[in-house]
């Protein structure tokens, strides 16, 4: 969780630097997950930006955005491994392992 939506840019820059430093093909090869809370409309732009960069393992919540219909959610889960957040304990187990 980057905190503020505008901090997501810094996370992408850091992820890209780590990808390059480790000689990886994609930021998706790093043990990183994104947690985007839907408190403001600009979070939608953050999601679209991450998806356009091909970033996977994004988790949303605490409730799903209204535009996540079952069909859209299915496609996002299949293509980008989009997940949802739940309780703190469940999220720690899912995001950290």
């Amino acid at each position: 969780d980057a905190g503020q939506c505008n901090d997501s840019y810094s996370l992408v820059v850091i992820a890209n630097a780590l990808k390059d430093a480790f000689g990886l093909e994609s930021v998706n090869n790093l043990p990183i997950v994104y947690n985007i809370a839907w408190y403001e409309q600009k979070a939608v732009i953050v999601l679209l930006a991450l998806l356009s960069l091909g970033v996977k393992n994004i988790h949303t919540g605490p409730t799903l955005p209204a535009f996540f219909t079952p069909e859209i959610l299915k496609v996002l889960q299949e293509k980008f491994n989009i997940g949802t957040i739940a309780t703190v304990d469940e999220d720690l187990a899912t995001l950290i392992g």
Side-chain angles (χ1 to χ4, degrees):
D1 188 347
Q4 300 294 319
C5 288
N6 54 355
D7 295 329
S8 294
Y9 173 77
S10 298
L11 289 180
V12 170
V13 170
I14 292 167
N16 274 319
L18 287 170
K19 171 193 68 117
D20 293 340
F22 289 115
L24 301 173
E25 185 176 317
S26 168
V27 296
N28 296 313
N29 297 114
L30 294 165
I32 296 175
V33 293
Y34 288 82
N35 183 357
I36 301 175
W38 298 102
Y39 297 122
E40 297 183 22
Q41 293 175 343
K42 63 184 173 182
V44 173
I45 299 301
V46 171
L47 173 66
L48 294 176
L50 292 173
L51 294 176
S52 74
L53 293 169
V55 173
K56 296 181 180 182
N57 300 318
I58 301 168
H59 292 258
T60 64
T63 58
L64 292 175
F67 63 87
F68 272 25
T69 65
E71 295 82 12
I72 290 174
L73 184 58
K74 181 180 177 188
V75 170
L76 292 174
Q77 286 172 328
E78 291 172 357
K79 290 191 75 162
F80 296 99
N81 196 32
I82 295 278
T84 56
I85 60 175
T87 67
V88 173
D89 290 336
E90 291 172 330
D91 291 345
L92 286 173
T94 299
L95 301 176
I96 297 175

mmCIF file of all heavy atoms in Angstrom, residues 1-33:
data_model
loop_
_atom_site.group_PDB
_atom_site.id
_atom_site.type_symbol
_atom_site.label_atom_id
_atom_site.label_comp_id
_atom_site.label_asym_id
_atom_site.label_seq_id
_atom_site.Cartn_x
_atom_site.Cartn_y
_atom_site.Cartn_z
ATOM 1 N N ASP A 1 0.856 -1.166 0.000
ATOM 2 C CA ASP A 1 0.000 0.000 0.000
ATOM 3 C C ASP A 1 0.895 1.220 0.000
ATOM 4 O O ASP A 1 1.730 1.381 0.884
ATOM 5 C CB ASP A 1 -0.907 -0.026 1.231
ATOM 6 C CG ASP A 1 -1.958 1.067 1.198
ATOM 7 O OD1 ASP A 1 -1.845 1.997 0.374
ATOM 8 O OD2 ASP A 1 -2.890 0.994 2.006
ATOM 9 N N ALA A 2 0.747 2.056 -0.982
ATOM 10 C CA ALA A 2 1.609 3.220 -1.123
ATOM 11 C C ALA A 2 1.193 4.382 -0.242
ATOM 12 O O ALA A 2 1.915 5.359 -0.142
ATOM 13 C CB ALA A 2 1.609 3.685 -2.577
ATOM 14 N N GLY A 3 0.061 4.287 0.410
ATOM 15 C CA GLY A 3 -0.419 5.418 1.190
ATOM 16 C C GLY A 3 -1.313 6.276 0.329
ATOM 17 O O GLY A 3 -2.474 5.968 0.137
ATOM 18 N N GLN A 4 -0.773 7.310 -0.224
ATOM 19 C CA GLN A 4 -1.516 8.195 -1.111
ATOM 20 C C GLN A 4 -1.423 7.689 -2.548
ATOM 21 O O GLN A 4 -0.412 7.094 -2.936
ATOM 22 C CB GLN A 4 -0.955 9.616 -1.044
ATOM 23 C CG GLN A 4 -1.015 10.226 0.337
ATOM 24 C CD GLN A 4 -2.442 10.444 0.789
ATOM 25 O OE1 GLN A 4 -3.296 10.866 0.023
ATOM 26 N NE2 GLN A 4 -2.712 10.128 2.041
ATOM 27 N N CYS A 5 -2.460 7.961 -3.317
ATOM 28 C CA CYS A 5 -2.465 7.517 -4.720
ATOM 29 C C CYS A 5 -1.265 8.045 -5.492
ATOM 30 O O CYS A 5 -0.688 7.336 -6.306
ATOM 31 C CB CYS A 5 -3.754 7.960 -5.410
ATOM 32 S SG CYS A 5 -5.191 7.036 -4.880
ATOM 33 N N ASN A 6 -0.868 9.290 -5.208
ATOM 34 C CA ASN A 6 0.243 9.864 -5.958
ATOM 35 C C ASN A 6 1.579 9.200 -5.615
ATOM 36 O O ASN A 6 2.543 9.352 -6.320
ATOM 37 C CB ASN A 6 0.319 11.382 -5.766
ATOM 38 C CG ASN A 6 0.378 11.791 -4.315
ATOM 39 O OD1 ASN A 6 0.267 10.961 -3.413
ATOM 40 N ND2 ASN A 6 0.539 13.068 -4.067
ATOM 41 N N ASP A 7 1.638 8.419 -4.527
ATOM 42 C CA ASP A 7 2.840 7.678 -4.186
ATOM 43 C C ASP A 7 3.000 6.433 -5.045
ATOM 44 O O ASP A 7 4.083 5.839 -5.071
ATOM 45 C CB ASP A 7 2.824 7.269 -2.711
ATOM 46 C CG ASP A 7 2.863 8.479 -1.778
ATOM 47 O OD1 ASP A 7 3.468 9.503 -2.160
ATOM 48 O OD2 ASP A 7 2.293 8.384 -0.684
ATOM 49 N N SER A 8 1.966 6.026 -5.744
ATOM 50 C CA SER A 8 2.036 4.832 -6.588
ATOM 51 C C SER A 8 3.070 4.997 -7.685
ATOM 52 O O SER A 8 3.714 4.031 -8.088
ATOM 53 C CB SER A 8 0.667 4.522 -7.194
ATOM 54 O OG SER A 8 -0.222 4.164 -6.172
ATOM 55 N N TYR A 9 3.258 6.218 -8.170
ATOM 56 C CA TYR A 9 4.278 6.458 -9.194
ATOM 57 C C TYR A 9 5.653 6.089 -8.651
ATOM 58 O O TYR A 9 6.437 5.426 -9.336
ATOM 59 C CB TYR A 9 4.266 7.928 -9.641
ATOM 60 C CG TYR A 9 5.398 8.255 -10.571
ATOM 61 C CD1 TYR A 9 5.346 7.867 -11.904
ATOM 62 C CD2 TYR A 9 6.531 8.922 -10.121
ATOM 63 C CE1 TYR A 9 6.403 8.141 -12.770
ATOM 64 C CE2 TYR A 9 7.587 9.194 -10.966
ATOM 65 C CZ TYR A 9 7.522 8.808 -12.285
ATOM 66 O OH TYR A 9 8.559 9.065 -13.132
ATOM 67 N N SER A 10 5.938 6.495 -7.421
ATOM 68 C CA SER A 10 7.228 6.157 -6.814
ATOM 69 C C SER A 10 7.412 4.659 -6.695
ATOM 70 O O SER A 10 8.514 4.138 -6.902
ATOM 71 C CB SER A 10 7.352 6.805 -5.432
ATOM 72 O OG SER A 10 7.295 8.203 -5.536
ATOM 73 N N LEU A 11 6.332 3.938 -6.353
ATOM 74 C CA LEU A 11 6.433 2.482 -6.258
ATOM 75 C C LEU A 11 6.782 1.861 -7.603
ATOM 76 O O LEU A 11 7.575 0.923 -7.671
ATOM 77 C CB LEU A 11 5.116 1.894 -5.750
ATOM 78 C CG LEU A 11 4.786 2.153 -4.290
ATOM 79 C CD1 LEU A 11 3.449 1.520 -3.937
ATOM 80 C CD2 LEU A 11 5.871 1.636 -3.385
ATOM 81 N N VAL A 12 6.206 2.376 -8.680
ATOM 82 C CA VAL A 12 6.499 1.840 -10.012
ATOM 83 C C VAL A 12 7.946 2.137 -10.391
ATOM 84 O O VAL A 12 8.637 1.278 -10.945
ATOM 85 C CB VAL A 12 5.511 2.403 -11.062
ATOM 86 C CG1 VAL A 12 5.945 2.047 -12.469
ATOM 87 C CG2 VAL A 12 4.102 1.894 -10.783
ATOM 88 N N VAL A 13 8.420 3.337 -10.072
ATOM 89 C CA VAL A 13 9.816 3.686 -10.371
ATOM 90 C C VAL A 13 10.762 2.760 -9.611
ATOM 91 O O VAL A 13 11.729 2.233 -10.173
ATOM 92 C CB VAL A 13 10.089 5.169 -10.036
ATOM 93 C CG1 VAL A 13 11.574 5.488 -10.099
ATOM 94 C CG2 VAL A 13 9.313 6.081 -10.983
ATOM 95 N N ILE A 14 10.481 2.538 -8.328
ATOM 96 C CA ILE A 14 11.318 1.649 -7.516
ATOM 97 C C ILE A 14 11.256 0.221 -8.047
ATOM 98 O O ILE A 14 12.285 -0.452 -8.170
ATOM 99 C CB ILE A 14 10.891 1.718 -6.038
ATOM 100 C CG1 ILE A 14 11.227 3.098 -5.467
ATOM 101 C CG2 ILE A 14 11.551 0.608 -5.216
ATOM 102 C CD1 ILE A 14 10.586 3.382 -4.127
ATOM 103 N N ALA A 15 10.058 -0.249 -8.391
ATOM 104 C CA ALA A 15 9.912 -1.604 -8.926
ATOM 105 C C ALA A 15 10.691 -1.759 -10.224
ATOM 106 O O ALA A 15 11.358 -2.776 -10.440
ATOM 107 C CB ALA A 15 8.431 -1.939 -9.127
ATOM 108 N N ASN A 16 10.633 -0.762 -11.093
ATOM 109 C CA ASN A 16 11.382 -0.839 -12.351
ATOM 110 C C ASN A 16 12.889 -0.834 -12.097
ATOM 111 O O ASN A 16 13.634 -1.544 -12.776
ATOM 112 C CB ASN A 16 10.991 0.304 -13.287
ATOM 113 C CG ASN A 16 9.775 -0.032 -14.118
ATOM 114 O OD1 ASN A 16 9.641 -1.143 -14.602
ATOM 115 N ND2 ASN A 16 8.899 0.930 -14.283
ATOM 116 N N ALA A 17 13.346 -0.053 -11.122
ATOM 117 C CA ALA A 17 14.775 -0.037 -10.791
ATOM 118 C C ALA A 17 15.214 -1.396 -10.231
ATOM 119 O O ALA A 17 16.299 -1.888 -10.569
ATOM 120 C CB ALA A 17 15.066 1.079 -9.793
ATOM 121 N N LEU A 18 14.396 -1.991 -9.380
ATOM 122 C CA LEU A 18 14.715 -3.318 -8.847
ATOM 123 C C LEU A 18 14.737 -4.369 -9.955
ATOM 124 O O LEU A 18 15.613 -5.239 -9.988
ATOM 125 C CB LEU A 18 13.707 -3.712 -7.765
ATOM 126 C CG LEU A 18 13.835 -2.977 -6.437
ATOM 127 C CD1 LEU A 18 12.636 -3.277 -5.544
ATOM 128 C CD2 LEU A 18 15.140 -3.349 -5.744
ATOM 129 N N LYS A 19 13.771 -4.280 -10.863
ATOM 130 C CA LYS A 19 13.720 -5.207 -12.008
ATOM 131 C C LYS A 19 15.026 -5.125 -12.789
ATOM 132 O O LYS A 19 15.641 -6.149 -13.105
ATOM 133 C CB LYS A 19 12.538 -4.866 -12.909
ATOM 134 C CG LYS A 19 12.519 -5.630 -14.233
ATOM 135 C CD LYS A 19 11.539 -5.043 -15.210
ATOM 136 C CE LYS A 19 11.996 -3.702 -15.649
ATOM 137 N NZ LYS A 19 12.316 -3.457 -17.005
ATOM 138 N N ASP A 20 15.465 -3.908 -13.077
ATOM 139 C CA ASP A 20 16.705 -3.723 -13.834
ATOM 140 C C ASP A 20 17.925 -4.194 -13.037
ATOM 141 O O ASP A 20 18.815 -4.847 -13.588
ATOM 142 C CB ASP A 20 16.872 -2.252 -14.229
ATOM 143 C CG ASP A 20 15.824 -1.791 -15.223
ATOM 144 O OD1 ASP A 20 15.199 -2.639 -15.902
ATOM 145 O OD2 ASP A 20 15.612 -0.555 -15.323
ATOM 146 N N ALA A 21 17.955 -3.874 -11.742
ATOM 147 C CA ALA A 21 19.094 -4.244 -10.907
ATOM 148 C C ALA A 21 19.256 -5.754 -10.808
ATOM 149 O O ALA A 21 20.388 -6.266 -10.768
ATOM 150 C CB ALA A 21 18.942 -3.635 -9.512
ATOM 151 N N PHE A 22 18.144 -6.472 -10.779
ATOM 152 C CA PHE A 22 18.192 -7.925 -10.683
ATOM 153 C C PHE A 22 18.161 -8.615 -12.044
ATOM 154 O O PHE A 22 18.148 -9.838 -12.120
ATOM 155 C CB PHE A 22 17.040 -8.446 -9.808
ATOM 156 C CG PHE A 22 17.210 -8.121 -8.349
ATOM 157 C CD1 PHE A 22 16.326 -7.265 -7.719
ATOM 158 C CD2 PHE A 22 18.251 -8.667 -7.616
ATOM 159 C CE1 PHE A 22 16.472 -6.961 -6.372
ATOM 160 C CE2 PHE A 22 18.405 -8.369 -6.271
ATOM 161 C CZ PHE A 22 17.517 -7.511 -5.647
ATOM 162 N N GLY A 23 18.118 -7.825 -13.117
ATOM 163 C CA GLY A 23 18.121 -8.389 -14.459
ATOM 164 C C GLY A 23 16.876 -9.202 -14.771
ATOM 165 O O GLY A 23 16.953 -10.197 -15.492
ATOM 166 N N LEU A 24 15.743 -8.764 -14.257
ATOM 167 C CA LEU A 24 14.492 -9.485 -14.478
ATOM 168 C C LEU A 24 13.790 -8.978 -15.727
ATOM 169 O O LEU A 24 13.985 -7.838 -16.147
ATOM 170 C CB LEU A 24 13.578 -9.333 -13.263
ATOM 171 C CG LEU A 24 14.151 -9.830 -11.935
ATOM 172 C CD1 LEU A 24 13.223 -9.477 -10.786
ATOM 173 C CD2 LEU A 24 14.382 -11.329 -11.997
ATOM 174 N N GLU A 25 12.947 -9.813 -16.280
ATOM 175 C CA GLU A 25 12.205 -9.451 -17.487
ATOM 176 C C GLU A 25 11.047 -8.496 -17.189
ATOM 177 O O GLU A 25 10.705 -7.649 -18.001
ATOM 178 C CB GLU A 25 11.669 -10.719 -18.144
ATOM 179 C CG GLU A 25 10.985 -10.487 -19.462
ATOM 180 C CD GLU A 25 10.559 -11.801 -20.105
ATOM 181 O OE1 GLU A 25 11.341 -12.760 -20.090
ATOM 182 O OE2 GLU A 25 9.429 -11.834 -20.616
ATOM 183 N N SER A 26 10.440 -8.640 -16.009
ATOM 184 C CA SER A 26 9.229 -7.887 -15.683
ATOM 185 C C SER A 26 9.188 -7.568 -14.192
ATOM 186 O O SER A 26 9.735 -8.319 -13.377
ATOM 187 C CB SER A 26 7.999 -8.722 -16.068
ATOM 188 O OG SER A 26 6.822 -8.178 -15.525
ATOM 189 N N VAL A 27 8.510 -6.486 -13.841
ATOM 190 C CA VAL A 27 8.299 -6.184 -12.425
ATOM 191 C C VAL A 27 7.466 -7.276 -11.773
ATOM 192 O O VAL A 27 7.508 -7.444 -10.556
ATOM 193 C CB VAL A 27 7.635 -4.806 -12.193
ATOM 194 C CG1 VAL A 27 8.538 -3.674 -12.664
ATOM 195 C CG2 VAL A 27 6.274 -4.724 -12.827
ATOM 196 N N ASN A 28 6.733 -8.029 -12.570
ATOM 197 C CA ASN A 28 5.911 -9.110 -12.035
ATOM 198 C C ASN A 28 6.745 -10.290 -11.544
ATOM 199 O O ASN A 28 6.215 -11.187 -10.892
ATOM 200 C CB ASN A 28 4.883 -9.563 -13.069
ATOM 201 C CG ASN A 28 3.907 -8.454 -13.377
ATOM 202 O OD1 ASN A 28 3.383 -7.826 -12.481
ATOM 203 N ND2 ASN A 28 3.699 -8.187 -14.646
ATOM 204 N N ASN A 29 8.049 -10.287 -11.831
ATOM 205 C CA ASN A 29 8.935 -11.311 -11.304
ATOM 206 C C ASN A 29 9.442 -10.962 -9.905
ATOM 207 O O ASN A 29 10.115 -11.774 -9.279
ATOM 208 C CB ASN A 29 10.128 -11.523 -12.236
ATOM 209 C CG ASN A 29 9.704 -12.027 -13.600
ATOM 210 O OD1 ASN A 29 9.868 -11.326 -14.589
ATOM 211 N ND2 ASN A 29 9.157 -13.212 -13.655
ATOM 212 N N LEU A 30 9.134 -9.774 -9.437
ATOM 213 C CA LEU A 30 9.491 -9.355 -8.082
ATOM 214 C C LEU A 30 8.397 -9.788 -7.108
ATOM 215 O O LEU A 30 7.235 -9.882 -7.490
ATOM 216 C CB LEU A 30 9.638 -7.825 -8.019
ATOM 217 C CG LEU A 30 10.783 -7.224 -8.822
ATOM 218 C CD1 LEU A 30 10.586 -5.712 -8.960
ATOM 219 C CD2 LEU A 30 12.108 -7.525 -8.135
ATOM 220 N N PRO A 31 8.742 -10.033 -5.855
ATOM 221 C CA PRO A 31 7.721 -10.415 -4.866
ATOM 222 C C PRO A 31 6.956 -9.189 -4.358
ATOM 223 O O PRO A 31 7.026 -8.821 -3.190
ATOM 224 C CB PRO A 31 8.545 -11.074 -3.763
ATOM 225 C CG PRO A 31 9.861 -10.360 -3.828
ATOM 226 C CD PRO A 31 10.086 -10.085 -5.303
ATOM 227 N N ILE A 32 6.239 -8.543 -5.272
ATOM 228 C CA ILE A 32 5.507 -7.312 -4.960
ATOM 229 C C ILE A 32 4.026 -7.518 -5.260
ATOM 230 O O ILE A 32 3.669 -8.078 -6.293
ATOM 231 C CB ILE A 32 6.024 -6.127 -5.800
ATOM 232 C CG1 ILE A 32 7.483 -5.822 -5.460
ATOM 233 C CG2 ILE A 32 5.158 -4.892 -5.594
ATOM 234 C CD1 ILE A 32 8.100 -4.745 -6.339
ATOM 235 N N VAL A 33 3.181 -7.045 -4.371
ATOM 236 C CA VAL A 33 1.750 -6.956 -4.633
ATOM 237 C C VAL A 33 1.331 -5.519 -4.344
ATOM 238 O O VAL A 33 1.911 -4.849 -3.501
ATOM 239 C CB VAL A 33 0.917 -7.943 -3.775
ATOM 240 C CG1 VAL A 33 1.205 -9.365 -4.174
ATOM 241 C CG2 VAL A 33 1.164 -7.745 -2.308
#
